[in-house]
Amino acid sequence: MQVIDLSWWQLALAAVMVVVLAGCTAALRLGMSRSLLIAALRTVVQLALVGLVLDALFAAERLVWVALMAMAMLLIAGREVMARQKRRLLGGWAFGIGTLSMFLSSFTVTVLTLTVIIGPEPWYLPQYAIPLLGMLLGNTMTGVALALDRLTDTAWRQRQVIENRLMLGEPWQVAIGDIRREAMRSGLMPMINAMAAAGVVSLPGMMTGQILAGTAPGLAVKYQILIMFAITLGTGFGTLAAVAAGSRRLFDARERLRLDRLGSPRS
Amino acid sequence: MSADSLRLDGIAIGELAAISLAVRPGEIVCLSGASGSGKSRLLRAVADLEPHAGEVWLGEQAQSQTPGHAWRRQVMLVPAESHWWAETVGEHFIDPPVTAELAALGFGPDTLEWQVGRLSTGEKQRLGLLRAVSREPRALLLDEPTANLDDASRERVEAWLVERIRVRQWPTLWVAHDHDQIARVASRHWRIVGARLEEEPVSCR
């Protein structure tokens, strides 16, 4: 089965409908038609550019280019994690902790999945490596951002409780233990929910794409299961690492709570 | 366990500079001063909850040579407002206090099953003191320990604290406003004036 070709004028039809929606939100004065249109425009521009980059990448099939692309994706994800936090750690720590934990988890899981499980030839074959890493990074980013935001925001709200526990002589790990567990949970929850609902409530995007492209549903399902597991691993370990490092950074060497290391809240 | 004295050596935090002060075992030294003069911050420095200059000694043990939590376990700060994180009162105690201790502060034995949400300010303050004291520290830092209490329970708590401090020989820094209270409990009284401490007579009458 051949994929039916899509031409730009057909996409324009879908775009017109988005504009209609923007008109409706403007009429209802939701105050978001502007951001809706800008986001839609960004989708078009960003995906078109990525299409060009991927074309070049697939043609070149060189490890250096794949690694460079992966690095660029990681840094952008790190910036996004930082931007999504209300009270971020100052001095580059918000970016550093987010990026490093995503690097450790997403890259390790991607490389393991490629070399040990899927085994394309060569192992960095961009048609496999880039989409896999992209899906992992995207989800890990959400988990890490949620968990770090939850950690710093709750620590701020409950600073007096944490300090009172420190006064009673509890080590910092105990004093912030409840908050740390809560933050880790909030980072893991979306993936657990996604796995629980997969195929029943939602048809996962990648599987849908593969089926549209003509893959037998049986094989598409296997790939989807593999991806879901890989994403869960990446998100899980990424979240655990980020919260562990982030909560350590909230205390100094004398185990004092140092909320002066957090920036002022941003809306 | 031998009783040690608590010695502040050149503490500087906020407006306060070069505060030096020694508290003998079992002695109560009261600190007073206008609000915002830095009484609470001084106690926080002694408990090492805020970065500060200078050293604090508990006997031969230096604050800077002791891990943070181990220091605070021995030099116990009790804030004016205590905070509670678990469901019930009892979960905040490592070893449940004996009935006599609870009764001394006006509580029945069922208090440990109370929900922390229903505690009044005064109950929180009294239970906060009991919670800190039951962890068997070696020195006490009290920040207005009777601020939220009515007259009757103030005297009861005062007497209970003084007795504990004398029996356990804890060197104690006690932040207080009330001159009558200072006269009742303190053996020395220092007032914060600007950046330093000035000694005042314990009784102003």
Side-chain angles (χ1 to χ4, degrees):
Chain A
M1 188 178 109
Q2 196 64 40
V3 187
I4 304 166
D5 193 43
L6 268 186
S7 63
W8 285 105
W9 69 265
Q10 286 164 313
L11 287 182
L13 279 182
V16 167
M17 289 187 273
V18 174
V19 173
V20 171
L21 173 67
C24 292
T25 57
L28 288 169
R29 280 182 290 163
L30 298 184
M32 57 188 323
S33 27
R34 222 179 107 83
S35 43
L36 174 67
L37 288 176
I38 291 177
L41 196 65
R42 278 186 62 167
T43 303
V44 175
V45 174
Q46 286 165 197
L47 288 182
L49 285 178
V50 154
L52 291 178
V53 172
L54 287 182
D55 270 339
L57 211 58
F58 288 1
E61 215 175 275
R62 294 265 308 278
L63 180 58
V64 202
W65 293 116
V66 176
L68 269 179
M69 177 74 182
M71 269 303 157
M73 288 161 72
L74 175 69
L75 292 180
I76 294 169
R79 220 204 114 264
E80 189 64 25
V81 164
M82 189 180 71
R84 286 190 198 173
Q85 288 172 60
K86 195 164 149 228
R87 298 175 190 275
R88 59 175 70 139
L89 284 162
L90 296 172
W93 286 87
F95 179 79
I97 290 175
T99 311
L100 187 69
S101 51
M102 283 191 294
F103 173 74
L104 289 177
S105 63
S106 298
F107 278 52
T108 317
V109 174
T110 306
V111 171
L112 274 180
T113 311
L114 285 172
T115 53
V116 180
I117 302 178
I118 305 180
E121 196 56 51
W123 67 268
Y124 53 85
L125 192 69
Q127 279 89 334
Y128 284 84
I130 295 298
L132 188 62
L133 182 65
M135 281 187 285
L136 256 119
L137 267 182
N139 287 281
T140 310
M141 178 180 82
T142 309
V144 167
L146 269 176
L148 279 180
D149 184 51
R150 183 66 167 265
L151 174 76
T152 51
D153 198 49
T154 318
W156 175 267
R157 283 174 207 281
Q158 301 202 14
R159 56 192 182 279
Q160 290 171 313
V161 169
I162 302 173
E163 286 217 311
N164 208 157
R165 299 185 72 157
L166 290 177
M167 286 173 203
L168 289 167
E170 293 186 352
W172 69 272
Q173 299 94 325
V174 179
I176 202 167
D178 294 341
I179 295 170
R180 196 151 77 155
R181 277 187 288 277
E182 200 57 47
M184 287 176 174
R185 254 183 240 127
S186 68
L188 284 169
M189 228 38 227
M191 243 356 264
I192 296 179
N193 289 341
M195 283 201 293
V200 189
V201 185
S202 61
L203 268 191
M206 193 204 72
M207 192 177 100
T208 316
Q210 274 195 315
I211 292 174
L212 283 179
T215 311
L219 183 59
V221 162
K222 278 191 222 154
Y223 264 95
Q224 187 60 47
I225 292 172
L226 177 64
I227 295 297
M228 296 285 264
F229 285 175
I231 288 176
T232 307
L233 283 175
T235 313
F237 287 121
T239 303
L240 298 188
V243 172
S247 57
R248 181 70 191 90
R249 181 64 195 159
L250 291 175
F251 296 86
D252 64 14
R254 301 289 310 150
E255 301 182 48
R256 307 175 186 120
L257 181 64
R258 295 294 296 274
L259 291 179
D260 54 320
R261 290 177 176 177
L262 293 180
S264 41
R266 307 150 19 87
S267 47
Chain B
M1 191 159 50
S2 65
D4 288 312
S5 53
L6 182 72
R7 200 152 51 78
L8 283 60
D9 187 8
I11 297 291
I13 183 168
E15 299 289 298
L16 298 172
I19 302 288
S20 294
L21 180 67
V23 188
R24 291 188 299 273
E27 184 188 29
I28 297 173
V29 172
C30 275
L31 286 174
S32 66
S35 60
S37 62
K39 308 179 293 277
S40 299
R41 282 193 83 184
L42 180 60
L43 292 194
R44 288 170 62 85
V46 177
D48 207 8
L49 281 163
E50 266 186 59
H52 60 88
E55 183 66 281
V56 184
W57 297 84
L58 180 64
E60 294 301 306
Q61 193 181 1
Q63 184 191 62
S64 60
Q65 302 302 316
T66 312
H69 70 275
W71 177 262
R72 291 186 277 269
R73 187 113 177 64
Q74 301 174 64
V75 181
M76 183 81 67
L77 170 57
V78 190
E81 194 189 342
S82 65
H83 295 271
W84 302 79
W85 54 91
E87 273 301 298
T88 63
V89 172
E91 289 169 71
H92 297 82
F93 288 85
I94 296 171
D95 301 309
V98 294
T99 315
E101 289 282 275
L102 284 166
L105 289 173
F107 292 107
D110 64 326
T111 311
L112 295 179
E113 274 108 66
W114 286 3
Q115 302 284 310
V116 295
R118 57 161 279 205
L119 293 177
S120 72
T121 340
E123 286 167 342
K124 273 188 190 167
Q125 183 150 36
R126 282 180 287 155
L127 286 169
L129 286 165
L130 184 59
R131 178 176 70 178
V133 162
S134 71
R135 298 201 179 203
E136 291 294 337
R138 295 176 58 205
L140 266 188
L141 309 169
L142 304 172
D143 196 351
E144 303 194 37
T146 60
N148 302 308
L149 305 181
D150 57 39
D151 290 341
S153 52
R154 178 178 310 131
E155 301 210 343
R156 189 208 284 262
V157 168
E158 230 178 67
W160 176 80
L161 272 172
V162 170
E163 200 226 310
R164 285 290 163 292
I165 291 164
R166 300 269 184 264
V167 171
R168 309 278 162 84
Q169 288 289 292
W170 291 324
T172 302
L173 275 175
W174 183 319
V175 168
H177 275 304
D178 178 17
H179 281 282
D180 293 332
Q181 179 173 70
I182 294 173
R184 283 194 300 270
V185 303
S187 55
R188 280 186 294 153
H189 172 204
W190 294 81
R191 203 157 64 88
I192 297 180
V193 182
R196 353 209 109 261
L197 294 182
E198 281 179 6
E199 176 136 32
E200 297 231 329
V202 163
S203 171
C204 55
R205 283 166 300 182

